[in-house]
Amino acid sequence: MSYRVAVWGATGMAGGELLRILANHPNLEVVCAVSRGSAGKPLWHDHPHLRLWYPEMVYSSPDEAMDIPTDLVFLALPHRGAWKVAVDYRERGVKVVDLSGDFRLKDPAQYARWYGEEHGAPAYLEQAVYGLPELHREDIASSSLVSGVGCNASCAILGLAPLASTGLVDSVRMELRVGSSEAGGSPSKGSHHPYRTRTMRVFEPFRHRHLAEVIQETGLPEDLFTMTMTAVEMVRGVQMLAQVTLKEPVKEAVLWKAYRKATEGRPFWNVCPARPSHLRLPDPRFVLGSNHCSVGFVLHEDGVRLLVVSALDNLMKGASGSAVQAANLMLGLEETSGLDGAPIYPA
Amino acid sequence: MSYRVAVWGATGMAGGELLRILANHPNLEVVCAVSRGSAGKPLWHDHPHLRLWYPEMVYSSPDEAMDIPTDLVFLALPHRGAWKVAVDYRERGVKVVDLSGDFRLKDPAQYARWYGEEHGAPAYLEQAVYGLPELHREDIASSSLVSGVGCNASCAILGLAPLASTGLVDSVRMELRVGSSEAGGSPSKGSHHPYRTRTMRVFEPFRHRHLAEVIQETGLPEDLFTMTMTAVEMVRGVQMLAQVTLKEPVKEAVLWKAYRKATEGRPFWNVCPARPSHLRLPDPRFVLGSNHCSVGFVLHEDGVRLLVVSALDNLMKGASGSAVQAANLMLGLEETSGLDGAPIYPA
Amino acid sequence: MSYRVAVWGATGMAGGELLRILANHPNLEVVCAVSRGSAGKPLWHDHPHLRLWYPEMVYSSPDEAMDIPTDLVFLALPHRGAWKVAVDYRERGVKVVDLSGDFRLKDPAQYARWYGEEHGAPAYLEQAVYGLPELHREDIASSSLVSGVGCNASCAILGLAPLASTGLVDSVRMELRVGSSEAGGSPSKGSHHPYRTRTMRVFEPFRHRHLAEVIQETGLPEDLFTMTMTAVEMVRGVQMLAQVTLKEPVKEAVLWKAYRKATEGRPFWNVCPARPSHLRLPDPRFVLGSNHCSVGFVLHEDGVRLLVVSALDNLMKGASGSAVQAANLMLGLEETSGLDGAPIYPA
Amino acid sequence: MSYRVAVWGATGMAGGELLRILANHPNLEVVCAVSRGSAGKPLWHDHPHLRLWYPEMVYSSPDEAMDIPTDLVFLALPHRGAWKVAVDYRERGVKVVDLSGDFRLKDPAQYARWYGEEHGAPAYLEQAVYGLPELHREDIASSSLVSGVGCNASCAILGLAPLASTGLVDSVRMELRVGSSEAGGSPSKGSHHPYRTRTMRVFEPFRHRHLAEVIQETGLPEDLFTMTMTAVEMVRGVQMLAQVTLKEPVKEAVLWKAYRKATEGRPFWNVCPARPSHLRLPDPRFVLGSNHCSVGFVLHEDGVRLLVVSALDNLMKGASGSAVQAANLMLGLEETSGLDGAPIYPA
């Protein structure tokens, strides 16, 4: 069974990662890679690691792309640049996975608040499904418009959703540590190697935009959260370290039960065992290049203070991997198809 | 004015940093560098960057060292290995700065609890001064036995002491991010480059041993604190990110006042201005190779949740720099003598 | 079609990489992973990234391993520690791929010279095939004892063999730049993160041991070569930069012909096109995590001075990847089976 | 004795390094830091590590700067942007150290060839002195217009000049390995962290522009040289690895004599001893943050093939450090004034 897919925003970092995954995907065939600025240029000029996989393919212009029949399209476009293309494809009956932020928030008022402007196609917000298969597998499978997921949001939600379900959370002070690929492929002062390397830049004290997704998906009140961001020396990788306070002292078994129940039957979501203790809290390096998210926690002896750590590869599980996972579901394929590679470690 | 000093534990990382500082110190002269295992070997074989500064000097054995007259001795020895040497020197009337953990805690009961054994010379705990000149300048100046300071403890204390003085602190969940030099010069599985590089290893969930010093020096109850440790990709550097909750809503001005008052007249302790906002929370890179500790904070709009970030170079301000600063005071020199170099950035 | 394989030296770095490849291999099943020191311990304690792939499997002791039926065994043991095990297995009729240096050199005299002692089983040297499938595909396919290949040797040979075949080479001054994983999983002073990171340590001026393999496989006289080694900041990766002098001025077309002919039909060996010029000389990052070796060259306008650059992932193409590729051939499988993943970039 | 100096191009990387050095310089006082685009902005916004040293100083515009009396001016401007300012200052009688490439080449024809256009003020080329004090101390001391030195050129010249003086050199194939700060402070695709980090990008096969300086200063014919460039994972640092062929076999003592003679009495130029062998070839890390250049060599047993390795900090000895050293000489100060700090290691 094989489907034809297109990738928009193919010169960028999420776009390149989609091309990489699709290069080895047994059921999906890239029929076009779209770029306004690089149309006609070989794909591998931007993605030199993919030369052998796309030796001849060149970028299509948006206009050309629209004429190429596809079953599903991935949009790896900037925020606010995706929704029009998405609507266009939807009107042609093509399934869409949009990795931008345009369809993540269900509530137009929340969209306006966090993105600073009214949504251009609020009618579509309703039908769009939040594309985290670990929470919405069935809805995704039956949808034709799926939103991608913020990389930090993915990490936070997968770390906290099982806990949220217990009703025990009193406060969560999250700290997200992120690699340089999170900012995409465009150079800036902040991403300039001499300044970016080995930095520990705390660039957002309390309220990163992805918090909106965490609130929506955990169902917990905003007031419980802060979300601090630190840029650290990684290329790929997001790690959440959440300092949680519970409403009342609990036994660890309660937490184990919640995490095991949530992750059961989820091929890309797992909880680190308690032993050995030095592997209890996951390092993003242990999932590098894979579609897996690992979660670990330690409960303080007071039964109230809890540390939750989660880790994923922001280009895979945090973006393109989840997008392909969603596409698999939307097309009736195995959820894990093309995504089952083991992490590369040490790297 | 020139004094003769000896450095014990001179092959190690704090020892090497002492030798580096002293190489350019206008008033202190290294008369011997001590190593049990490397006696007779040139210093620069372990510290190749110092070849031009110590072209001929070889390590002395401990026995040889004891016969060399010195005004002051720096002990950069492992925990539990320092106190006997310290006592020995004190009995000869030589001033001692001990960088190990042996004399940091004033209370023998606390020592026994955090270090897992009774102290060997509890009588000396009383006379030893905690060697953080930002808090104990006068006591250090009049003392002959000064303890070094834990690198993480230094960072945490300098970040939190002004806040502790306000009486407003309800809880502090600290997260300390540390470079690889913190573990010293001995290789281990954890420090093996393929495993250590780019790691985000959370190796202590709640209660790092340096917490004992933070409790002692801030005077806040232990129960208020947790202290989480993450090993990150740096060689030098400690950064504390403290998620603080205050007892009641405050105005930011209250905090500014406390921090300004504490740091006033302290040459190596400074607070980052509120503007520009992207420089408000300090990066350890901005103090690399220097003896400075920078602190920054942001108060949540609720007036209760507070983020405090502090940063220093663990080998300098977190160890050997503070030790020399203390020695300067003990010998009646300028506090900043030999320590006024600007940070190296970008590096 | 499925075969049972065992991995010896499974705690080490090449062992871990074998386990990683085999975790996703469609035709090979790991029936035991052997470690003298860690018998009974779960594999994933050493290889945390593989927890989901080997959730229950524990290391077997050597004795236990010998009783487990296997079709083929991979030996990722230290030099001089492998040949006895190899002989043992061969006597039982089990196919062997030995990643150590024990069977790389065909000439016992050369072995003695480069390894500093007589070979323990010289009779087996004759039947062992040098396991670089790009040069010896047919011999490997019909052999039962295949030697692994030095990572640096692989990189150098794949970079230079096409050139050697032209008879034009007058001298080759190779420089090999290597990542930290090349030294394996055991910590040492040299691999200690504070010392190893960002180093540019030239650790061998002229004659690395792998030169013996380069001489053997290119057939060029030893006197033509020097092989300088530099340890650089990578975990995975080898890059050869060869400053070649040709015997007489040539046209570039002669070189293209030689390289194209050599690499044609070789799935893991490719030559970088001349355009775009900034991608003409390969970076190890572009093959990270993959089994590919890329080669590029630029001829000086004098037609005599030539720069050849080759790059591979030392744990994959330089060790475990080539080993699995050889095993595939020995077992009659597709050469590329389990090895066709695209590189992870950027990472 | 104190002199007033100005720094042009002060927002850039060499400019920042000048400000850093001058912050601790006992005899030079920064009276203005010039930037066209950032006039009126505090210096430390671009150079956050220097906040405590320049708490109030803001950038001057070029026009303002011209009205501020100074004894000497440092120009850290882009190539082709410096000569007019230099001429302007010279006409006012102010001494000039120009770090750009505008006055490095003595021969206008060579300038035109390597920089691709005619020089704007060829008359000044004659009077400008090439600012490498190790070769031109006396000329610099008596000059009022001194050119800075290419960072790669500095490294190569200091590595090779002693050898050139022997008349023994038959060919030199240099390979220069450079950190990311070499490209300055402006972001680009190539300097974007995800792409730049851990790269081994060979970006120039044979003829980097700095080769022109090497030819001029060693006096060797161009045809002897190639100069290959590799971008590696460092921020600061240049290392030259030169594969030299001598005209005839020599004894090592001949080389030692040449190197010792050349470096004698040169405070910032030293040769690594032959023992211990693992420290014989210098790592840029061992001079990080200092103004020192270390050189090492190993002669092949054939007496003809020679490996020369040199290392320096490109922002210090390769740019701003040499510039201050030259200024010291021009102003009659100690050559080492403000430059005698020991390297920071490990960092």
Side-chain angles (χ1 to χ4, degrees):
Chain A
M1 203 153 28
S2 183
Y3 294 97
R4 298 162 56 88
V5 301
V7 174
W8 285 61
T11 58
M13 224 166 260
E17 189 71 353
L18 282 166
L19 294 173
R20 185 181 75 79
I21 299 168
L22 297 169
N24 287 126
H25 197 294
N27 311 108
L28 301 182
E29 183 199 358
V30 178
V31 294
C32 78
V34 188
S35 164
R36 190 175 305 276
S38 298
K41 215 175 71 167
L43 266 60
W44 66 268
H45 287 201
D46 287 298
H47 306 296
H49 59 307
L50 298 178
R51 175 166 51 87
L52 302 177
W53 285 265
Y54 301 94
E56 308 290 345
M57 188 178 276
V58 299
Y59 294 109
S60 305
S61 71
D63 283 350
E64 292 164 349
M66 279 293 177
D67 293 336
I68 301 174
T70 58
D71 297 301
L72 183 145
V73 62
F74 294 101
L75 306 182
L77 296 165
H79 301 318
R80 287 189 280 270
W83 69 264
K84 278 187 191 157
V85 184
V87 168
D88 222 353
Y89 271 110
R90 284 306 304 127
E91 287 175 355
R92 293 161 188 240
V94 177
K95 293 177 195 283
V96 173
V97 178
D98 168 28
L99 285 79
S100 85
D102 286 4
F103 295 103
R104 293 180 192 165
L105 302 183
K106 308 302 292 179
D107 179 348
Q110 289 300 320
Y111 179 87
R113 176 183 159 209
W114 290 89
Y115 286 85
E117 61 177 26
E118 296 302 313
H119 197 280
Y124 282 85
L125 283 185
E126 182 111 358
Q127 56 175 279
V129 175
Y130 190 76
L132 195 61
E134 284 66 27
L135 298 192
H136 303 293
R137 184 154 53 187
E138 287 68 29
D139 287 350
I140 291 169
S142 61
S143 174
S144 295
L145 173 57
V146 168
S147 166
V149 176
C151 51
N152 306 308
S154 297
C155 193
I157 293 165
L158 294 174
L160 297 173
L163 196 61
S165 71
T166 63
L168 285 164
V169 178
D170 188 56
S171 81
V172 182
R173 301 196 68 168
M174 287 182 270
E175 203 239 324
L176 275 286
R177 295 89 94 87
V178 301
S180 61
S181 65
E182 142 140 350
S186 298
S188 69
K189 201 85 177 178
S191 79
H192 190 48
H193 181 275
Y195 303 132
R196 180 61 177 78
T197 187
R198 286 189 179 168
T199 195
M200 295 296 295
R201 190 190 302 148
V202 184
F203 65 92
E204 168 58 56
F206 295 124
R207 199 183 280 125
H208 186 272
R209 182 189 277 171
H210 287 184
L211 180 52
E213 299 173 46
V214 181
I215 294 164
Q216 170 178 292
E217 295 298 315
T218 61
L220 296 175
E222 177 174 353
D223 195 47
L224 261 56
F225 289 106
T226 62
M227 188 173 189
T228 306
M229 304 297 300
T230 307
V232 304
E233 173 67 271
M234 299 187 286
V235 173
R236 287 167 182 249
V238 183
Q239 187 187 46
M240 177 195 71
L241 186 151
Q243 306 275 11
V244 179
T245 309
L246 301 177
K247 289 178 180 164
E248 57 192 55
V250 299
K251 301 272 184 217
E252 212 177 276
V254 175
L255 304 176
W256 281 112
K257 198 173 156 193
Y259 277 95
R260 285 195 182 121
K261 185 176 164 206
T263 57
E264 197 182 3
R266 301 295 163 177
F268 299 120
W269 192 14
N270 68 84
V271 187
C272 300
R275 296 278 171 278
S277 63
H278 72 281
L279 296 175
R280 186 167 188 176
L281 300 172
D283 188 331
R285 294 187 74 197
F286 298 159
V287 292
L288 186 104
S290 85
N291 198 46
H292 292 267
C293 177
S294 293
V295 185
F297 63 86
V298 185
L299 182 63
H300 192 276
E301 63 200 23
D302 66 11
V304 166
R305 284 180 282 190
L306 173 69
L307 188 71
V308 181
V309 174
S310 52
L312 52 77
D313 179 323
N314 59 308
L315 295 182
M316 282 290 287
K317 188 65 197 152
S320 306
S322 274
V324 172
Q325 187 181 349
N328 286 341
L329 293 167
M330 293 163 79
L331 295 166
L333 302 169
E334 270 301 305
E335 183 174 356
T336 59
S337 190
L339 295 169
D340 47 6
I344 310 286
Y345 179 82
Chain B
M1 203 154 26
S2 182
Y3 294 96
R4 298 162 55 88
V5 301
V7 175
W8 284 62
T11 59
M13 224 166 261
E17 188 71 353
L18 283 166
L19 294 172
R20 186 181 75 79
I21 298 168
L22 297 169
N24 286 127
H25 198 293
N27 310 109
L28 301 181
E29 183 199 358
V30 178
V31 294
C32 80
V34 188
S35 163
R36 190 175 304 277
S38 297
K41 214 176 71 167
L43 266 60
W44 66 268
H45 287 201
D46 286 299
H47 305 297
H49 58 308
L50 299 179
R51 175 165 51 86
L52 302 177
W53 286 265
Y54 301 94
E56 309 289 345
M57 187 178 276
V58 299
Y59 293 110
S60 306
S61 71
D63 284 350
E64 290 164 351
M66 279 295 178
D67 294 336
I68 300 173
T70 57
D71 298 300
L72 183 144
V73 61
F74 294 100
L75 306 182
L77 296 166
H79 301 318
R80 287 187 281 270
W83 68 264
K84 279 188 189 155
V85 183
V87 168
D88 222 353
Y89 271 109
R90 284 306 304 126
E91 287 174 355
R92 294 161 188 240
V94 176
K95 292 177 196 285
V96 172
V97 178
D98 169 28
L99 285 80
S100 85
D102 287 4
F103 295 104
R104 292 179 193 166
L105 302 184
K106 309 302 293 178
D107 179 349
Q110 288 301 320
Y111 179 88
R113 176 183 160 211
W114 290 89
Y115 286 84
E117 62 177 26
E118 297 300 314
H119 198 280
Y124 282 85
L125 282 186
E126 182 113 358
Q127 56 175 278
V129 175
Y130 189 76
L132 195 61
E134 284 66 28
L135 298 191
H136 303 291
R137 184 154 53 186
E138 287 69 29
D139 286 352
I140 290 169
S142 62
S143 173
S144 295
L145 173 57
V146 168
S147 166
V149 175
C151 51
N152 306 309
S154 298
C155 192
I157 294 165
L158 293 174
L160 297 174
L163 195 62
S165 71
T166 64
L168 285 164
V169 178
D170 188 56
S171 83
V172 183
R173 301 197 67 168
M174 285 182 272
E175 203 240 323
L176 276 285
R177 297 88 95 85
V178 300
S180 62
S181 66
E182 139 140 352
S186 297
S188 69
K189 201 85 178 177
S191 78
H192 190 48
H193 181 276
Y195 302 133
R196 180 61 176 78
T197 187
R198 287 191 179 166
T199 195
M200 294 296 296
R201 190 190 300 148
V202 183
F203 64 93
E204 168 57 56
F206 295 124
R207 199 183 279 126
H208 186 271
R209 182 190 277 171
H210 288 184
L211 180 53
E213 300 173 46
V214 181
I215 295 164
Q216 171 180 290
E217 296 298 316
T218 60
L220 295 175
E222 176 173 353
D223 196 46
L224 260 56
F225 290 105
T226 61
M227 188 173 188
T228 306
M229 304 296 300
T230 306
V232 304
E233 174 67 272
M234 299 186 286
V235 173
R236 289 166 180 250
V238 184
Q239 187 186 46
M240 177 194 73
L241 187 151
Q243 306 274 12
V244 180
T245 309
L246 301 177
K247 290 178 181 165
E248 58 192 55
V250 300
K251 300 272 185 218
E252 213 179 276
V254 175
L255 304 176
W256 282 112
K257 196 173 157 193
Y259 277 95
R260 287 197 180 120
K261 187 178 163 203
T263 57
E264 196 182 4
R266 302 295 163 178
F268 298 121
W269 193 14
N270 68 83
V271 187
C272 299
R275 295 280 171 277
S277 63
H278 73 281
L279 296 175
R280 186 167 189 175
L281 300 172
D283 187 331
R285 295 188 74 198
F286 298 159
V287 293
L288 186 107
S290 86
N291 197 46
H292 292 266
C293 177
S294 294
V295 185
F297 63 87
V298 185
L299 182 64
H300 192 276
E301 63 200 23
D302 67 10
V304 165
R305 285 180 282 189
L306 173 69
L307 188 71
V308 181
V309 174
S310 53
L312 52 77
D313 179 324
N314 60 308
L315 295 181
M316 282 290 288
K317 187 65 197 152
S320 304
S322 275
V324 171
Q325 188 182 349
N328 285 342
L329 294 167
M330 294 163 79
L331 295 167
L333 302 169
E334 270 302 304
E335 183 175 356
T336 58
S337 189
L339 295 168
D340 46 7
I344 310 285
Y345 180 81
Chain C
M1 203 152 27
S2 182
Y3 295 96
R4 298 162 56 88
V5 301
V7 174
W8 285 61
T11 58
M13 224 164 261
E17 188 71 353
L18 283 166
L19 294 172
R20 185 180 75 80
I21 298 167
L22 296 169
N24 285 126
H25 198 293
N27 310 109
L28 302 181
E29 182 200 359
V30 178
V31 294
C32 79
V34 188
S35 164
R36 191 175 303 276
S38 298
K41 213 175 72 167
L43 267 59
W44 67 267
H45 287 201
D46 287 298
H47 306 296
H49 58 308
L50 300 179
R51 175 166 50 87
L52 301 178
W53 285 265
Y54 301 95
E56 308 290 346
M57 187 178 276
V58 299
Y59 294 109
S60 305
S61 72
D63 283 351
E64 291 164 352
M66 279 295 177
D67 293 336
I68 300 173
T70 57
D71 297 301
L72 182 143
V73 63
F74 294 100
L75 306 181
L77 297 165
H79 301 319
R80 287 187 282 271
W83 70 263
K84 277 186 190 156
V85 184
V87 168
D88 221 353
Y89 271 110
R90 284 307 305 127
E91 287 173 356
R92 292 161 188 241
V94 176
K95 292 176 197 284
V96 172
V97 178
D98 169 28
L99 285 79
S100 84
D102 286 5
F103 295 103
R104 292 180 192 165
L105 302 184
K106 308 302 291 179
D107 179 349
Q110 289 300 321
Y111 180 87
R113 176 183 160 210
W114 291 89
Y115 285 85
E117 61 177 26
E118 296 302 313
H119 197 280
Y124 282 84
L125 283 186
E126 183 111 358
Q127 58 175 277
V129 174
Y130 189 76
L132 195 61
E134 283 67 26
L135 298 191
H136 303 291
R137 182 153 56 186
E138 287 69 29
D139 286 351
I140 290 169
S142 62
S143 175
S144 295
L145 173 57
V146 167
S147 166
V149 176
C151 51
N152 305 309
S154 297
C155 193
I157 293 166
L158 294 174
L160 297 174
L163 196 61
S165 70
T166 64
L168 285 165
V169 179
D170 189 56
S171 82
V172 183
R173 301 196 69 167
M174 286 181 271
E175 203 238 324
L176 275 286
R177 296 88 94 88
V178 301
S180 62
S181 65
E182 140 140 351
S186 297
S188 69
K189 201 85 179 178
S191 79
H192 190 48
H193 182 275
Y195 303 132
R196 180 62 176 77
T197 187
R198 287 192 179 164
T199 194
M200 295 295 295
R201 190 190 300 148
V202 184
F203 65 91
E204 168 57 56
F206 295 123
R207 201 182 279 127
H208 185 271
R209 183 190 276 172
H210 287 184
L211 180 52
E213 299 172 47
V214 181
I215 294 164
Q216 170 180 291
E217 295 298 316
T218 61
L220 295 175
E222 177 173 353
D223 195 47
L224 260 57
F225 289 105
T226 60
M227 188 174 188
T228 307
M229 304 297 300
T230 306
V232 304
E233 174 67 273
M234 299 186 286
V235 172
R236 288 165 181 249
V238 184
Q239 187 187 46
M240 177 194 73
L241 186 151
Q243 306 274 11
V244 179
T245 309
L246 301 177
K247 289 178 180 165
E248 58 193 56
V250 299
K251 301 271 184 217
E252 213 179 275
V254 175
L255 305 176
W256 282 111
K257 197 173 157 192
Y259 276 95
R260 286 197 180 119
K261 186 177 164 204
T263 57
E264 196 180 4
R266 303 294 163 178
F268 298 120
W269 192 14
N270 68 83
V271 187
C272 299
R275 295 279 171 278
S277 63
H278 73 281
L279 296 175
R280 185 167 188 175
L281 301 172
D283 188 330
R285 296 187 74 197
F286 298 158
V287 292
L288 186 106
S290 86
N291 197 46
H292 292 268
C293 176
S294 294
V295 185
F297 63 87
V298 184
L299 182 64
H300 193 276
E301 62 200 24
D302 67 10
V304 166
R305 285 180 281 190
L306 173 69
L307 189 70
V308 182
V309 174
S310 52
L312 52 76
D313 179 323
N314 60 309
L315 295 181
M316 282 290 288
K317 187 66 197 152
S320 305
S322 274
V324 171
Q325 188 182 349
N328 286 343
L329 294 167
M330 293 163 78
L331 295 167
L333 301 168
E334 270 302 304
E335 183 175 356
T336 58
S337 189
L339 295 168
D340 48 7
I344 310 286
Y345 179 81
Chain D
M1 202 152 28
S2 182
Y3 295 96
R4 298 163 57 89
V5 301
V7 174
W8 285 61
T11 58
M13 224 166 260
E17 189 71 354
L18 283 165
L19 294 173
R20 186 182 74 80
I21 298 168
L22 297 169
N24 287 126
H25 197 294
N27 311 107
L28 301 182
E29 183 199 358
V30 178
V31 294
C32 79
V34 188
S35 164
R36 191 175 304 277
S38 298
K41 213 176 71 167
L43 266 59
W44 66 267
H45 287 200
D46 287 298
H47 306 295
H49 58 307
L50 299 179
R51 175 166 50 86
L52 301 177
W53 285 265
Y54 301 95
E56 308 290 346
M57 187 178 276
V58 298
Y59 294 109
S60 305
S61 71
D63 284 350
E64 291 165 350
M66 279 294 178
D67 294 336
I68 300 173
T70 57
D71 297 301
L72 184 145
V73 62
F74 295 100
L75 306 181
L77 297 166
H79 301 317
R80 288 188 280 272
W83 69 263
K84 277 187 190 156
V85 184
V87 168
D88 222 353
Y89 271 110
R90 283 309 303 128
E91 287 173 356
R92 293 162 188 240
V94 176
K95 292 177 196 285
V96 172
V97 178
D98 168 28
L99 285 79
S100 85
D102 286 4
F103 295 104
R104 292 180 192 166
L105 301 184
K106 307 302 292 179
D107 179 349
Q110 289 300 319
Y111 179 87
R113 176 183 160 210
W114 291 89
Y115 285 85
E117 62 176 26
E118 297 301 313
H119 197 281
Y124 282 84
L125 283 186
E126 183 112 357
Q127 58 176 277
V129 175
Y130 190 76
L132 194 61
E134 284 66 28
L135 299 191
H136 302 292
R137 183 154 54 187
E138 285 70 28
D139 286 351
I140 291 169
S142 62
S143 174
S144 295
L145 173 57
V146 169
S147 166
V149 176
C151 51
N152 306 307
S154 297
C155 192
I157 293 166
L158 294 174
L160 297 173
L163 196 62
S165 71
T166 63
L168 285 164
V169 178
D170 188 55
S171 82
V172 183
R173 301 195 69 167
M174 287 182 270
E175 204 240 322
L176 276 285
R177 295 88 94 87
V178 301
S180 62
S181 66
E182 139 140 353
S186 296
S188 69
K189 201 84 177 177
S191 80
H192 190 48
H193 182 276
Y195 302 132
R196 180 61 178 77
T197 186
R198 285 190 179 165
T199 195
M200 295 295 295
R201 190 189 301 148
V202 184
F203 64 93
E204 168 57 58
F206 296 123
R207 200 183 278 126
H208 186 272
R209 183 190 275 172
H210 287 184
L211 180 52
E213 299 173 46
V214 181
I215 293 164
Q216 170 179 292
E217 296 298 315
T218 61
L220 295 176
E222 176 174 352
D223 195 47
L224 260 56
F225 290 105
T226 60
M227 188 173 189
T228 306
M229 303 298 299
T230 306
V232 304
E233 174 66 271
M234 300 186 286
V235 173
R236 288 167 181 249
V238 184
Q239 186 186 47
M240 177 195 72
L241 186 151
Q243 306 274 10
V244 179
T245 308
L246 301 178
K247 289 179 180 164
E248 59 193 54
V250 299
K251 301 272 185 218
E252 212 179 276
V254 175
L255 305 176
W256 282 112
K257 197 173 155 193
Y259 276 95
R260 286 195 180 121
K261 186 177 163 205
T263 57
E264 198 182 3
R266 302 295 162 178
F268 298 120
W269 192 14
N270 68 83
V271 187
C272 299
R275 296 278 171 278
S277 63
H278 73 281
L279 295 175
R280 186 166 189 175
L281 300 172
D283 187 331
R285 295 188 73 197
F286 299 159
V287 292
L288 186 106
S290 86
N291 197 46
H292 292 267
C293 177
S294 294
V295 185
F297 63 87
V298 184
L299 183 64
H300 193 275
E301 63 199 24
D302 66 11
V304 166
R305 283 180 282 189
L306 173 69
L307 189 71
V308 181
V309 175
S310 53
L312 53 76
D313 180 324
N314 59 309
L315 295 181
M316 282 290 288
K317 187 65 197 152
S320 305
S322 275
V324 171
Q325 188 182 347
N328 286 342
L329 293 167
M330 292 163 78
L331 295 167
L333 302 169
E334 271 301 304
E335 183 175 356
T336 58
S337 189
L339 295 168
D340 47 6
I344 310 286
Y345 180 81

